[in-house]
Amino acid sequence: MKALLPLSLLFMAGAQATPIAMPDQSQLKVPGVAAAPQFVPPAESTIPDNAFGKLVREGHALFVDTRRLMPDAVGNGMNCSNCHLDQGRMAHSAPLWGAYPMYPAYRKKNDKVNTFAERIQGCFQFSMNGKPPAADSPQMTALSVYAYWLSTQAPTAVELAGRGYPEVPQPAQGYDFKRGQQVYAEQCAICHGANGEGQKVAGEYVMPPLWGNDSYNWGAGMHRINTAASFIKYNMPLGRPGSLSDQQAWDVAAWVNRHERPQDPRLVEGSVEKTRLKFHANDGVNLYGQKVNGVLIGQGSTR
């Protein structure tokens, strides 16, 4: 049997392997999360040495290095693994094994029953601010196969413990931008930059930008303060999940999402207000189309 390239080394079919450092986050624990039996995705050693295994590895490569390997589909500085930590494995970080078995499913966002491929296309359109690849494209096939493999032996249509981002109810005090700015400066800026610009090494992002042209756009689920607060509470700061209080998570999520980012690609007739009414008015807690300190939020980033 020929040697297989570890998933910690990224590769492109037909090209030389390019080492990509992928920290093992599988042992991170979230304080305060009730213990519950959790699904365990298969080990890398179980990937078969055949055509299926090749697609699993290609899908993994695309998942962790999306921006570089799919430049025509990604319009910002994000990779799939920025929102789905530990290469799509981590519980409470929207793991792929918690998503794949739940599709097809109805989504209020586009008011239709979506296949898993269509759900990924939505990620490219909004979180990646790009152009979704065709459902039958080789890249989409590889990404779907990787998600399928991570879901090996997971039950179908069963909400597994650790799926998605656990809800963090809005605190009685609501959210506060000044408190959020302080939390950001103390806990987040070291990785994401003082101005949310992220960090680059050799021209490639190693820490994702949180606002500005290279971040998720105004249509991404993460623009909702409640969604961002949930992700932050259970996953950030990296290596110390659960170390922030609910209040701190909400405050810093509000601070991040008060900054401009790429426009919602669903912009209605060039109008922020019409877009707000159609897509944002009943979409969780968000600032799109509102005024903060006299400035209209949702006009789109300019840097």
Side-chain angles (χ1 to χ4, degrees), residues 58-88:
E58 289 177 357
H60 169 268
L62 295 171
F63 191 83
V64 300
D65 202 16
T66 325
R67 180 176 182 268
R68 188 172 69 87
L69 298 184
M70 300 180 68
D72 294 336
V74 178
N76 58 17
M78 310 293 284
N79 295 310
C80 299
S81 54
N82 291 144
C83 294
H84 311 272
L85 301 184
D86 194 22
Q87 304 160 62

Side-chain angles (χ1 to χ4, degrees), residues 10-47:
L10 192 61
F11 79 95
M12 293 180 61
Q16 288 186 335
T18 303
I20 298 293
M22 293 301 299
D24 179 11
Q25 301 164 338
S26 61
Q27 301 305 310
L28 299 183
K29 304 298 181 184
V30 183
V33 175
Q38 289 186 350
F39 176 77
V40 178
E44 175 186 347
S45 60
T46 67
I47 300 177

Side-chain angles (χ1 to χ4, degrees), residues 218-219 223 263-264 266 272 275-284 286 288:
W218 279 115
H223 94 285
Q263 182 57 265
D264 189 331
R266 303 167 297 180
V272 171
T275 307
R276 183 190 72 81
L277 291 172
K278 184 170 183 179
F279 296 113
H280 298 269
N282 298 303
D283 187 22
N286 70 85
Y288 186 90

Side-chain angles (χ1 to χ4, degrees), residues 199-222:
Q199 286 193 46
K200 287 183 176 180
V201 172
E204 296 293 334
Y205 281 106
V206 293
M207 292 293 176
L210 299 184
W211 61 82
N213 285 344
D214 278 347
S215 190
Y216 52 88
N217 67 38
W218 279 115
M222 202 63 76

Side-chain angles (χ1 to χ4, degrees), residues 146-160:
Y146 178 56
Y148 171 85
W149 174 75
L150 283 178
S151 307
T152 301
Q153 296 187 359
T156 300
V158 175
E159 292 210 21
L160 297 170

